[in-house]
Amino acid sequence: MLKKQVLKELRERLVERRDQLLDQLKSLEQELKYLDQSRPPELSEEAQEEAAANSLVALTEQERKALADIQKALEKLDENTYRKCERCSKEINEPRLKALPMVRYCISCQKKIEGGG
């Protein structure tokens, strides 16, 4: 069982990282608004859509996944299921949680998933 202080520290790290990702998203949205307002009218609608799509790519799939994983970890902390592997239900060891607070699987299951098993 993880000590309350360790859980508190992990929650703080998760919240901090979540807030960083949300700030990046907010910044990107502001940038998109600015680009939309400052675009020359001679740009075609297609070019405008392409520029907007390229800007949205700045928030990568990996960052969106990280945001979802963080939210899931925070929910698990609230439900007292944080340390359980989502695949085998065994406990995830403390060093792994400290290294990757949003981790969802124990090391054994993670290897199986990455190996296609």
Side-chain angles (χ1 to χ4, degrees):
M1 184 104 188
L2 289 174
K3 294 179 183 176
K4 287 184 181 183
Q5 183 61 33
V6 172
L7 289 172
K8 181 181 175 187
E9 290 169 8
L10 291 171
R11 178 183 293 278
E12 288 171 358
R13 286 180 54 202
L14 287 164
V15 168
E16 183 179 326
R17 182 63 182 138
R18 180 195 63 195
D19 291 348
Q20 289 172 346
L21 289 169
L22 290 173
D23 285 346
Q24 288 175 350
L25 180 58
K26 185 177 179 180
S27 176
L28 179 61
E29 288 171 349
Q30 290 173 346
E31 184 180 325
L32 282 174
K33 281 183 184 178
Y34 173 77
L35 289 174
D36 193 41
Q37 294 169 353
S38 65
R39 261 190 211 111
E42 63 270 7
L43 280 180
S44 71
E45 187 175 325
E46 184 178 318
Q48 290 178 14
E49 288 175 6
E50 184 178 348
N54 288 339
S55 294
L56 285 173
V57 170
L59 186 63
T60 67
E61 185 64 34
Q62 185 177 9
E63 288 168 319
R64 281 180 259 163
K65 183 184 179 322
L67 196 53
D69 287 347
I70 289 168
Q71 189 58 41
K72 179 74 172 175
L74 290 169
E75 289 170 9
K76 289 170 73 173
L77 276 165
D78 292 340
E79 298 165 358
N80 294 319
T81 59
Y82 176 65
R83 195 170 182 182
K84 280 188 173 182
C85 173
E86 290 182 16
R87 190 165 190 224
C88 70
S89 296
K90 291 182 182 174
E91 285 192 357
I92 301 170
N93 66 41
E94 186 174 333
R96 181 164 170 75
L97 289 171
K98 284 183 175 182
L100 301 165
M102 72 280 280
V103 73
R104 297 170 62 183
Y105 307 106
C106 67
I107 193 73
S108 175
C109 288
Q110 187 69 48
K111 287 179 181 177
K112 290 174 187 172
I113 291 166
E114 290 174 359

